[in-house]
Amino acid sequence: MYISSMKIRNWKNFTMANIELHETMYMIGPNAAGKSNFLDIFRFMRDIVNPKGGGLQQALNSRGGMRKTRSLAARKQPQIELEFELRESLLTQSGHPDWKYILWIKSETRGKHRPLVMKEEAYKLGRRIFSRPDPRDLQDQERLTQTHLEQINMNADYRHIAQFFEKVLYLHLVPQLLKYSDQISLRHLESDPFGQGFLEEIAAATEYIRVSRLNKIEEILIKVIPNLRKLRFVRDLVSGRPHLEMLYSHWRPNAGWQREDQFSDGTLRLIAIIWTLLSTNSMILLEEPELSLHKKVVEQIPSLIYKTRQSRRKSGGQILISTHSTDLLSSGSFSGNFFLLKPGSGGEGTRIEVPSDQDVAAMKAGLTPADILLPKTSSSIGGL
Amino acid sequence: MASRLADLLFYAFVEDIPSEKAAIKLFNKVNETREQKLIFNPGFPTITRGNQKLREKCPAFLNMARPGTNIFALTDLDRIECAPALIRDWFGIQSDKEILLPTEICFRVAVREVESWILADRIALADFFRISDINFHQSPDNLEDPKEHLLNVIRRRTRRRIYRDMLPTEYSHVGPTYNEVLAEFITVNWDPHRASENSASLEKTIRALENF
């Protein structure tokens, strides 16, 4: 399933946005334009439906409450509004979507100022399944502290929506957290976005799947990492901990399997990106995949994403990528669409724009997104 | 009732920061007398850093030029023999054919570098650096390496720290304040019309923009 369109009001630095989404979306914008805040909408929805202690209250608490989540530029309307249309196929945007979900959240006016559901609706093929607040909500305000979506006994008729958000995967691997996980004892975040649990994730796959995915990763790594010969998964004989090992060709033929703490940052990130692309057919949020990678590799990320996803047995899945990289956007053969994030002037929220018809024609004529789109997002950046 | 013509929007590509500032200044100057204004698309001109990157885009310029989609490009001639030779080479026009680019493309070549356009206003330049204008070459279009000439004058005649730091160090062809100082000069002091009297390539560019 895919999200085909969205409406956003007063979410962090977005006061208002109505957007259409495609299978692969690249988000371009200057620093602090709100790329991560945009991706956070999907993580927020995932936190709401998370079966391990999620929920509306928890999702907002972990973001610092309503005050930190609601747009500072919001004036008239105090509520956060999110609306999603979901479709089984993105081939057509016309007609009723398979599913539609609306959630408005406001702050309790007195007492603890808890976030409350102001409006919640779900539709299947244009037909409304439920609408809140309903008469029982009006009798018992406590009910408004939870969404129906997060409750298994309430969401039976539209569980597809909850399942979609539950599976959203956010990847922003910080290699140091993986390399030094023994030495820095950090709380593992619920959904493990920074890669501390990446090795456990590999270990949890069945052997057949693991071998097949690691083979594909090895095939790609050999092309981009000089002298690399093999990549394998092992368990430490003493501690039982999972590890990745790589072998390089050098003058000592029988020595030199290196473990992940000796891998370069770029190698680790690349492994994590490819593993993620191969492992899921749900929505993936990919934050700056170009980090620590050589220009030549970065240039190939768009085709890596495309090819890797073609090679999976299961198809489908949407992917949202945030990037600043000229090299990534210089690829001549793009499969994907673009959002341009433009910070508002004079205290307005960030605007989300799509390339103009002229821009599209220029890219069709042979210029790259880096030539045409990146300059558009840099107009608000001054020289030092 | 006379309705004003819609502005002409440009995708613009230049090689470096001085060229970018010169392009902006030229558009502004030309717009003073034009009814239909020439406007850069937001975020443009974009700096390609080097002429190879600009050259690669030329085939795309030909494909994308159409009414409503205008392209401005400014490059340095550098060591190439003459501007027509560069255009033939970059756009793949054979030597027996006439050079005929789509009217939406304004492709300009500075002979030999944009620095010669800057040097061409030697009165403003001398004033800016507080030195005599006889230090600067009279017809900068004839200079083999205008940037070198400019740097030599700065090296010999200026003492202020900010100008000294324009000079190249071991690993760079210009110093750390080169672009910054030149950008400031172009934006504030440089007079394209006065300069065009000493530079044929600049004069042609201004005329092309006036008649676009």
Side-chain angles (χ1 to χ4, degrees):
Chain A
M1 197 138 70
Y2 305 90
I3 294 182
S4 57
S5 73
M6 283 170 73
K7 282 186 190 160
I8 309 161
R9 299 277 182 282
N10 299 333
W11 174 267
K12 295 195 173 179
N13 57 343
F14 301 96
T15 38
M16 184 157 109
N18 298 340
I19 48 176
E20 264 186 28
L21 286 87
H22 302 269
E23 188 166 338
T24 309
M25 299 290 327
Y26 289 88
M27 276 180 298
I28 320 173
N31 288 109
K35 297 186 292 296
S36 303
N37 286 345
F38 179 76
L39 295 183
D40 196 42
I41 295 172
F42 305 99
R43 299 169 69 196
F44 173 73
M45 292 306 297
R46 185 189 59 192
D47 289 350
I48 289 182
V49 299
N50 184 350
K52 293 181 225 146
L56 178 66
Q57 301 298 315
Q58 163 64 23
L60 274 164
N61 269 337
S62 67
R63 283 166 177 75
M66 274 296 269
R67 277 180 48 197
K68 289 204 173 161
T69 314
R70 194 169 71 86
S71 170
L72 289 172
R75 275 169 296 213
K76 283 191 186 136
Q77 298 158 306
Q79 72 272 18
I80 295 171
E81 302 178 18
L82 298 172
E83 187 175 323
F84 305 90
E85 292 191 1
L86 295 94
R87 290 174 195 268
E88 292 294 342
S89 157
L90 287 174
L91 291 176
T92 168
Q93 287 268 20
S94 61
H96 287 300
D98 293 288
W99 302 96
K100 180 166 162 179
Y101 179 74
I102 302 174
L103 178 62
W104 294 14
I105 311 157
K106 65 174 179 184
S107 215
E108 207 172 27
T109 45
R110 56 203 140 164
K112 294 183 200 148
H113 295 281
R114 291 173 301 180
L116 295 179
V117 172
M118 188 179 166
K119 177 174 169 179
E120 187 185 14
E121 291 176 357
Y123 295 78
K124 182 178 188 179
L125 292 167
R127 199 170 41 78
R128 195 166 70 195
I129 306 174
F130 74 91
S131 171
R132 297 179 70 195
D134 56 25
R136 290 172 67 196
D137 292 328
L138 298 175
Q139 274 173 12
D140 179 8
Q141 283 265 332
E142 284 298 303
R143 287 169 54 93
L144 292 174
T145 60
Q146 295 190 333
T147 62
H148 272 10
L149 195 66
E150 73 200 64
Q151 298 168 45
I152 292 172
N153 56 354
M154 300 301 288
N155 71 14
D157 292 335
Y158 48 96
R159 198 163 290 154
H160 282 86
I161 303 175
Q163 283 168 345
F164 176 88
F165 286 117
E166 198 184 315
K167 287 195 203 138
V168 166
L169 214 141
Y170 173 78
L171 182 70
H172 186 19
L173 184 102
V174 180
Q176 283 70 15
L177 289 181
L178 177 62
K179 286 182 182 173
Y180 305 114
S181 59
D182 315 358
Q183 292 158 49
I184 22 180
S185 58
L186 281 174
R187 185 168 63 97
H188 275 215
L189 291 175
E190 178 57 50
S191 45
D192 188 44
F194 304 114
Q196 293 134 287
F198 179 56
L199 291 172
E200 278 80 18
E201 194 189 314
I202 295 182
T206 65
E207 177 155 11
Y208 175 77
I209 289 177
R210 184 169 59 230
V211 168
S212 130
R213 285 182 195 158
L214 288 179
N215 280 345
K216 278 183 188 153
I217 295 175
E218 184 190 79
E219 207 178 293
I220 295 169
L221 289 185
I222 285 175
K223 287 184 193 148
V224 298
I225 301 175
N227 300 326
L228 174 70
R229 276 182 40 213
K230 277 190 179 331
L231 170 74
R232 72 177 181 194
F233 173 86
V234 291
R235 273 187 189 280
D236 192 288
L237 288 175
V238 181
S239 68
R241 293 178 71 123
H243 289 288
L244 286 173
E245 291 188 337
M246 294 203 302
L247 183 68
Y248 288 88
S249 56
H250 46 64
W251 52 274
R252 277 189 297 181
N254 296 319
W257 281 96
Q258 295 189 341
R259 283 207 170 158
E260 72 280 345
D261 54 353
Q262 291 174 293
F263 291 4
S264 77
D265 291 355
T267 309
L268 269 176
R269 289 185 59 99
L270 200 54
I271 294 174
I273 290 170
I274 307 171
W275 177 275
T276 308
L277 291 172
L278 287 170
S279 63
T280 175
N281 61 347
S282 47
M283 179 181 247
I284 302 174
L285 314 174
L286 207 53
E287 190 102 67
E288 302 188 0
E290 69 266 20
L291 293 182
S292 351
L293 293 173
H294 188 276
K295 176 179 163 31
K296 287 285 273 186
V297 181
V298 174
E299 283 169 358
Q300 299 181 69
I301 288 178
S303 73
L304 176 76
I305 290 172
Y306 179 76
K307 283 185 192 156
T308 315
R309 290 167 72 73
Q310 292 297 311
S311 76
R312 292 171 313 167
R313 211 160 293 154
K314 282 185 267 181
S315 65
Q318 206 160 11
I319 179 159
L320 303 179
I321 302 147
S322 77
T323 182
H324 290 292
S325 168
T326 311
D327 298 321
L328 195 154
L329 296 167
S330 294
S331 170
S333 59
F334 249 94
S335 114
N337 297 67
F338 299 91
F339 282 145
L340 309 171
L341 270 56
K342 292 193 171 171
S345 51
E348 294 299 315
T350 292
R351 281 174 298 134
I352 304 181
E353 292 181 5
V354 295
S356 69
D357 293 348
Q358 270 193 348
D359 296 337
V360 174
M363 288 188 284
K364 278 201 167 40
L367 292 184
T368 67
D371 295 330
I372 290 296
L373 303 180
L374 217 45
K376 290 192 143 194
T377 63
S378 63
S379 57
S380 57
I381 307 177
L384 288 178
Chain B
M1 197 173 72
S3 66
R4 211 168 79 84
L5 290 163
D7 295 335
L8 293 167
L9 284 166
F10 282 80
Y11 291 103
F13 300 84
V14 297
E15 276 181 38
D16 50 23
I17 292 173
S19 308
E20 179 206 9
K21 300 301 175 195
I24 293 170
K25 183 88 173 223
L26 288 175
F27 271 50
N28 286 338
K29 264 279 174 269
V30 168
N31 279 340
E32 286 172 8
T33 52
R34 276 188 70 108
E35 192 193 347
Q36 195 180 22
K37 308 292 180 202
L38 310 179
I39 309 285
F40 295 116
N41 276 316
F44 290 85
T46 189
I47 295 168
T48 60
R49 312 211 175 276
N51 61 12
Q52 195 50 39
K53 290 261 174 60
L54 187 58
R55 180 185 183 160
E56 286 166 9
K57 299 184 207 307
C58 288
F61 292 161
L62 291 176
N63 287 332
M64 67 193 262
R66 69 192 66 184
T69 301
N70 306 297
I71 299 126
F72 176 81
L74 173 59
T75 183
D76 292 344
L77 181 63
D78 291 326
R79 304 278 167 200
I80 297 168
E81 191 192 338
C82 62
L86 182 143
I87 293 173
R88 281 185 194 285
D89 184 26
W90 288 21
F91 286 91
I93 304 168
Q94 281 154 4
S95 52
D96 55 336
K97 298 235 171 67
E98 196 188 347
I99 296 179
L100 218 55
L101 293 180
T103 53
E104 293 85 7
I105 297 180
C106 184
F107 187 90
R108 305 311 311 175
V109 184
V111 179
R112 302 204 156 252
E113 289 172 324
V114 77
E115 276 82 356
S116 59
W117 289 4
I118 295 161
L119 285 165
D121 185 4
R122 62 177 188 281
I123 293 174
L125 207 51
D127 194 43
F128 183 80
F129 286 113
R130 310 236 170 111
I131 54 179
S132 166
D133 66 320
I134 53 164
N135 289 297
F136 296 103
H137 198 278
Q138 305 263 342
S139 47
D141 275 17
N142 296 333
L143 285 168
E144 277 298 309
D145 192 340
K147 182 183 282 163
E148 193 54 42
H149 175 71
L150 180 61
L151 287 171
N152 277 336
V153 174
I154 292 167
R155 189 176 290 122
R156 282 196 228 107
R157 295 283 165 221
T158 65
R159 287 290 166 265
R160 280 184 63 191
R161 173 72 182 276
I162 189 165
Y163 303 147
R164 304 299 301 173
D165 283 347
M166 292 171 77
L167 300 172
T169 51
E170 213 169 334
Y171 291 110
S172 61
H173 63 293
V174 293
T177 61
Y178 181 85
N179 284 332
E180 191 187 317
V181 171
L182 227 47
E184 157 93 13
F185 169 75
I186 296 167
T187 309
V188 180
N189 309 73
W190 184 59
D191 181 343
H193 285 299
R194 187 165 52 204
S196 68
E197 291 164 17
N198 300 316
S199 164
S201 67
L202 175 59
E203 200 266 330
K204 278 188 212 160
T205 297
I206 292 177
R207 204 145 19 98
L209 288 173
E210 282 170 346
N211 300 329
F212 191 87

